[in-house]
Amino acid sequence: MSYAEVEQRFLALARRFSAAGLGRGDTALVQLPNCAEFYLTFLALLQAGIAPVNALFNHKQNELNTYADQIHPSLLIADRSQPLFKDDHYVELLKARTDNLSTALFRGGSGEDDLENWIDPSLDGLQDISESVIENGPTDPDQIAFFQLSGGSTGTPKLVPRTHNDYDYSIRASAEICGLSQDTRFLCALPAPHNFLLSSPGALGVFHAGGTVVLAANPDPQTCFPIISRHKVTMAALVPSAVSMWLRSVEQAQSDPASENHDLSTLELVQVGGASVAESDARRVPKVLGCALQQVFGMAEGLVNYTRLDDDPEIVFTTQGRPISADDEVRVIDEYGQDVPDGQTGMLATRGPYTFRGYFRSPEANAKSFDDQGFYFSGDLVQRLPSGHLRVVGRVKDLINRGGEKIAAEEIETLLLRHPQVIQAALVAVEDVLLGEKSCAFIVAQGALRPVALRRHLVELGVADYKLPDRVQFIDALPLTAVGKTDKRALRRNLSYGSATIKADKTPTPETL
Ligand code: J2J
């Protein structure tokens, strides 16, 4: 699709939104897979002044409900191939829930509600919109353009309001840092709405530079390698588990003359981010994939760090980069709020031109996440080198980073506790060779309860598959810390002993229930 075609289509869609009475002040709930319509829809919504939440395609009703409850969308855009939208049952539930949902469009819909028809700029489309104008146009540059999804660490998935100005700045600066040009052919094989794939520099960075975006359904080598050779991909953004798979696949192909060899020689840059990459994998990238590596440590909330293309290779292999902007203020702080010296571990706190100022309608989460100077605490434990490069060495936030997909422990614990037999629940990270981390639920249950029953319980609540506990362990009581909180470190330590039962140090208090 040429840039001219992209423009015609997203403007047609924006005009139709406007003609349907949608515009500034409206919000949209969008759930599309990796497809061109995702970008056309996003651009049209921005153009019309409608602020969307772009849910991930593997989200289910649990996640979509919490987003809808927060933004009260007037517009829903989804895909009929997603089981939740195979008929209108869930749409009706959403309408009842959100009070002002007036328009629902579907990829793979029919007639009036077919997204493709709405996008069609020709007269064969739904209605002639060649004369119509977009009423109000985009929201003001410092107003909310859309809501990014927070990886989160609280019970309800939080939304990050992003403005045109802050997002545009991070995109432009990222495109420059990553050396994008019209010759860039960027492979997006992770979920397109994710901040990394959208803006670091992501598809929007590539559009800014006039390059080409190539979409893949998943990051598996079997899927991506033929696409890379067919479309002469120059750059890809991956999570560490995908890098591992790519490395293994190329090495296997090299050692097995009978295997199919794909031409990856056009690849110039592979970015890795979203979770900690093993240093050994990072070091193998240039040799095995024949391209440069860039580490990216970012967050939907704002701050993004990159290793630079001209950084010393040792820096590229052993750090997660330095901030985009000289105006990004980064503090590394100990538990008493004091800055720690370079090289020592502390909590990351940041403030800067494209870092958000608060979660959407979440005063409690904001009170916990910001200090009185407006610094945002990301929950990451980092070390800073004198050069300003950061190393992510751990975290204090209660989440599981499952190969880049974030699971807020509290969200799943709350849902587990809704099972009538569950008395206590704690979700902790378990080391995993491929994904880095998987999840294990420790459960104190009343009566006999099987892991499959718990799984079914979560599936019935409409939880996205990646959030389902990979392991379930039943224990007598949860161990507690001195202040009476669940001692997750003790739980994690116990994991290495397999399914041994864990004895609590103390009787649980009502507070921990
Ligand atoms: C270790 N942990 C990392 C890294 C993110 C670019 C790239 C990634 C994200 C992202 C993003 C990490 N090493 N290289 O938004 O624009 C963990 C940290 C961080 C959290 C943010 C972008 N890169 N992480 O992953 O909002 O814990 O954004 O705070 O999904 O992922 O998660 P998320």
Side-chain angles (χ1 to χ4, degrees), residues 148-152 194-197 199-200 240 272-277 295-306 320 348 376 378-380 392 394-395 397 399 401 404 406:
Q148 192 48 282
L149 309 178
S150 162
H194 190 272
N195 204 48
F196 185 16
L197 284 299
S199 68
S200 300
V272 61
S276 291
V277 67
Q295 295 215 35
V296 189
F297 162 42
M299 53 202 73
E301 286 80 357
L303 181 74
V304 182
N305 303 275
Y306 296 99
Q320 281 64 59
L348 173 75
Y376 165 65
S378 75
D380 293 300
V392 184
R395 62 171 176 260
K397 57 188 163 188
L399 67 74
N401 191 337
K406 317 298 186 310

